[in-house]
């Protein structure tokens, strides 16, 4: 796969940050209750309960540090080629994912969308089309139930001259 030079990579996570935080909080509470049911969890951060802070930190280390990098289950890679922007999807091949997501093999899954360009689109129009395609991915298999993290793309996209990037990416592919 990898047609040409990638211009942006977007992580796909097992769960959204909010869902993952709730999952971790539930697991941590269950873990602490199993150690000593009478620990008052409300005062866990006070100096009086330094041992509990140590146990909590140890829990995070054993069960995978919180979000995001150990929760990645795939990547959407954007490419620019001649008259289109397209995306390929790479995902972890494991059927069953665990909370700590230890090393998993990543395999290319092919194209997940392509945006044909007429050549007269503005950067804002290109950004809007890419953003919409990324939003729509969340409802489709194999992305359904996963979190396609568009935050970095959204933050940086408006600073990029997309027409120039596509033109230069296309010429680099042709001359390579």
């Amino acid at each position: 796969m990898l047609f040409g030079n990638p211009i942006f990579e977007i992580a796909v996570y097992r769960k959204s940050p909010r869902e993952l935080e709730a999952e971790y909080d539930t697991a941590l509470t269950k873990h602490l209750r199993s150690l000593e049911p009478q620990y008052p969890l409300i005062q866990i951060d006070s100096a009086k309960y330094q041992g509990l802070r140590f146990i909590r930190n140890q829990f995070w280390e054993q069960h995978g540090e919180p979000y995001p990098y150990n929760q990645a289950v795939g990547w959407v890679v954007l490419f620019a080629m001649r008259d289109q922007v397209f995306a390929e999807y790479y995902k972890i091949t494991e059927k069953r994912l665990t909370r700590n997501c230890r090393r998993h093999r990543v395999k290319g899954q092919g194209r997940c969308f392509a945006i044909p360009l007429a050549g007269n689109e503005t950067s804002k129009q290109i950004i809007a089309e890419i953003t919409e395609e990324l939003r729509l991915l969340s409802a489709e298999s194999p992305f359904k139930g996963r979190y396609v993290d568009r935050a970095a793309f959204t933050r940086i996209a408006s600073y990029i001259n997309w027409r120039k990037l596509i033109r230069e990416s296309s010429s680099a592919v042709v001359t390579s």
Side-chain angles (χ1 to χ4, degrees), residues 40-49 52-53:
L41 296 177
I42 296 170
Q43 298 178 9
I44 226 170
D45 289 323
S46 72
K48 185 176 175 182
Y49 296 102
L52 281 178
R53 280 201 310 271

Side-chain angles (χ1 to χ4, degrees), residues 80-91:
M81 197 169 184
R82 293 179 186 83
D83 59 349
Q84 67 178 335
V85 172
F86 64 92
E88 288 185 350
Y89 179 51
Y90 296 83
K91 75 172 194 164

Side-chain angles (χ1 to χ4, degrees), residues 129-170:
E129 288 185 52
I130 293 171
T131 301
E132 180 63 11
E133 288 291 343
L134 291 171
R135 188 188 67 74
L136 292 172
L137 283 180
S138 299
E140 300 173 8
S141 179
F143 302 95
K144 194 169 188 163
R146 303 288 184 228
Y147 177 69
V148 179
D149 189 359
R150 302 181 314 258
F153 177 80
T154 303
R155 272 194 303 278
I156 198 167
S158 63
Y159 296 103
I160 297 171
N161 180 339
W162 284 90
R163 289 176 67 178
K164 183 177 179 184
L165 176 65
I166 291 165
R167 185 175 54 247
E168 289 178 3
S169 295
S170 298

Side-chain angles (χ1 to χ4, degrees), residues 59-143:
F59 174 82
W60 291 129
E61 288 176 17
Q62 291 174 349
H63 292 89
E65 288 292 322
Y67 202 74
Y69 302 109
N70 65 343
Q71 295 296 316
V73 295
W75 287 266
V76 174
V77 183
L78 296 179
F79 296 88
M81 197 169 184
R82 293 179 186 83
D83 59 349
Q84 67 178 335
V85 172
F86 64 92
E88 288 185 350
Y89 179 51
Y90 296 83
K91 75 172 194 164
I92 290 174
T93 58
E94 312 300 323
K95 294 279 186 204
R96 185 162 189 257
L97 299 172
T98 58
R99 180 175 35 251
N100 59 356
C101 286
R102 301 211 192 271
R103 292 295 247 175
H104 298 298
R105 186 168 130 66
V106 175
K107 184 177 178 191
Q109 303 297 304
R111 286 192 183 184
C112 50
F113 66 81
I115 301 170
L117 301 172
N120 59 351
E121 293 88 350
T122 65
S123 284
K124 283 186 178 184
Q125 290 170 323
I126 295 168
I127 293 167
E129 288 185 52
I130 293 171
T131 301
E132 180 63 11
E133 288 291 343
L134 291 171
R135 188 188 67 74
L136 292 172
L137 283 180
S138 299
E140 300 173 8
S141 179
F143 302 95

